[in-house]
Amino acid sequence: EPEPEPEPEKKSVAGQIEGILEDYVSTKIGILEQKVSDLQESVKDQTHRIVIESKPGVKPKVKEIKGMVHKDYESALYYLSNDWNLMFVGPAGSGKTTLAKQIADGDDREFFFASSIDQKYEETGYNDINGIYVETELYKAVTFDGPSVYLRDETDNGNPRANTALNPLIDNGFMTFTTKRVDATPDTSYIVNCNTYGWGGDLTYVRNQLDGAFKNRFIVMEIDYDLKMELEIALSIYPDAEYLVEKVQAWRVAMNTLTQPHIIGPRNTYNYVRVMRDRKQGITPERMTEEMIEFNTIWQGMDSATVRKIKEMATVK
């Protein structure tokens, strides 16, 4: 007679529980990865159809912009497309540089970038040891064969006298670069980024006072944090980040109400969300508590009494 087949080995209760947990964790991670992928794709595939009203007699352009844009995008694009020069004023991390690049793309302009200027030669250029002229980003912008945007970042952190090198370009369309006068191409526009309105430093930013004649040559736009964009980017990093973002935004409001000289910008938010995501997934060291993560990414050295005061004032949904 054939021998009976052996019965399958029964798992212990502990083994069964372990198997169930493994399946559960695997399923949850799979769902989480899929949610992240879907959110990233939805953010990337967002399309904004924008009609750009241009100069009188010129047919308006219709542009489709892929991805997220700042809430002030359309206003800034309107000014640029009508050849106004812009001063973006806003806190660190509010998206001023990204906005400048986006509107340059939106108006089909070549984009040139320079950081704060301390010496005039950083704008006008200089001749090297061999007598060869070293071009600056400003020189490239004004001699570019086509529409261009020159962005100077951290303008209120530079030398106020060096800033005024832009004045003749903006007013008269020409400037002397080292030894030669250059006539700017007609479609060159200028954007400057500032953290302050140019009255000098404040509790948060050590900045210089801007010359009134220099400021007067720009349309001034206040660029604040785009809370919706901040949330969408955070959710693309970690789908369960909504409550974390709400906390950070509430802390920011309370901190500003208390006039604390500290910055809690979107960069802080994204760092906080990333580390909290890693903690949830068991990637961070065990000793990294939520309080430690908050300190490292949000408070960054602020004393505990002030942090406690901010949290008590904050209203979190």
Side-chain angles (χ1 to χ4, degrees):
E1 292 184 9
E3 294 183 6
E5 293 183 8
E7 292 185 15
E9 184 180 348
K10 291 184 179 180
K11 288 185 178 180
S12 66
V13 173
Q16 292 179 53
I17 292 174
E18 184 179 353
I20 291 169
L21 286 174
E22 286 177 356
D23 291 342
Y24 175 76
V25 170
S26 176
T27 302
K28 290 291 284 184
I29 289 175
I31 292 171
L32 177 62
E33 289 175 346
Q34 186 60 48
K35 285 172 73 177
V36 170
S37 176
D38 291 345
L39 277 163
Q40 288 173 336
E41 288 301 312
S42 69
V43 166
K44 184 175 66 177
D45 292 340
Q46 285 186 48
T47 301
H48 303 266
R49 187 174 183 276
I50 296 185
V51 178
I52 304 171
E53 298 291 343
S54 193
K55 308 169 191 67
V58 178
K59 185 179 179 180
K61 290 189 290 185
V62 178
K63 295 284 292 185
E64 285 194 350
I65 309 299
K66 284 282 187 182
M68 287 181 290
V69 294
H70 194 280
K71 59 185 173 65
D72 293 314
Y73 174 85
E74 292 189 53
S75 299
L77 184 59
Y78 160 76
Y79 284 125
L80 181 67
S81 64
N82 285 280
D83 296 329
W84 271 293
N85 303 302
L86 295 166
M87 177 181 287
F88 291 159
V89 180
S94 56
K96 299 183 294 295
T97 300
T98 300
L99 176 60
K101 180 69 170 65
Q102 285 180 331
I103 63 173
D105 292 342
D107 201 38
D108 298 320
R109 293 172 181 254
E110 194 73 13
F111 183 73
F112 297 89
F113 171 88
S115 192
S116 61
I117 302 298
D118 289 320
Q119 302 294 330
K120 190 175 179 179
Y121 76 83
E122 295 177 64
E123 296 254 74
T124 60
Y126 59 93
N127 293 327
D128 66 14
I129 195 170
N130 298 311
I132 299 172
Y133 177 65
V134 178
E135 297 179 350
T136 63
E137 287 295 293
L138 178 60
Y139 179 86
K140 294 174 187 176
V142 301
T143 58
F144 179 74
D145 185 17
S148 65
V149 167
Y150 172 71
L151 169 67
R152 188 198 290 162
D153 200 19
E154 302 279 351
T155 300
D156 53 345
N157 196 35
N159 184 334
R161 292 185 179 276
N163 289 334
T164 57
L166 279 182
N167 290 359
L169 266 175
I170 294 172
D171 284 351
N172 308 312
F174 63 82
M175 178 174 163
T176 300
F177 287 84
T178 306
T179 58
K180 59 180 179 180
R181 169 181 148 161
V182 173
D183 293 318
T185 53
D187 292 325
T188 305
S189 291
Y190 308 91
I191 302 176
V192 295
N193 286 346
C194 302
N195 293 128
T196 67
Y197 283 96
W199 307 117
D202 56 27
L203 289 173
T204 305
Y205 299 99
V206 179
R207 292 293 184 262
N208 296 314
Q209 186 172 352
L210 295 178
D211 182 79
F214 174 75
K215 289 169 56 179
N216 191 248
R217 287 165 165 83
F218 298 90
I219 295 288
V220 178
M221 291 187 66
E222 182 172 352
I223 308 300
D224 205 349
Y225 300 124
D226 187 330
L227 302 185
K228 182 180 177 183
M229 179 185 285
E230 181 179 28
L231 175 60
E232 288 184 358
I233 293 174
L235 289 174
S236 73
I237 297 168
Y238 179 33
D240 292 331
E242 185 169 2
Y243 178 65
L244 300 177
V245 176
E246 286 177 357
K247 283 202 300 183
V248 174
Q249 292 179 349
W251 294 338
R252 182 187 296 147
V253 170
M255 183 191 72
N256 291 337
T257 302
L258 293 169
T259 62
Q260 288 298 315
H262 182 64
I263 298 168
I264 303 179
R267 296 188 191 102
N268 302 90
T269 305
Y270 307 145
N271 289 337
Y272 177 54
V273 165
R274 284 191 183 98
V275 184
M276 289 295 284
R277 174 201 63 191
D278 289 351
R279 184 176 187 275
K280 183 75 172 179
Q281 295 176 1
I283 297 173
T284 58
E286 288 185 14
R287 68 180 299 272
M288 286 183 67
T289 62
E290 288 192 27
E291 290 77 13
M292 183 184 295
I293 293 169
E294 277 183 24
F295 180 86
N296 296 341
T297 60
I298 303 294
W299 308 117
Q300 300 177 320
M302 183 179 287
D303 66 277
S304 57
T306 304
V307 171
R308 188 165 55 251
K309 193 185 299 182
I310 290 170
K311 288 187 173 183
E312 288 171 356
M313 177 175 282
T315 303
V316 183
K317 296 177 184 177

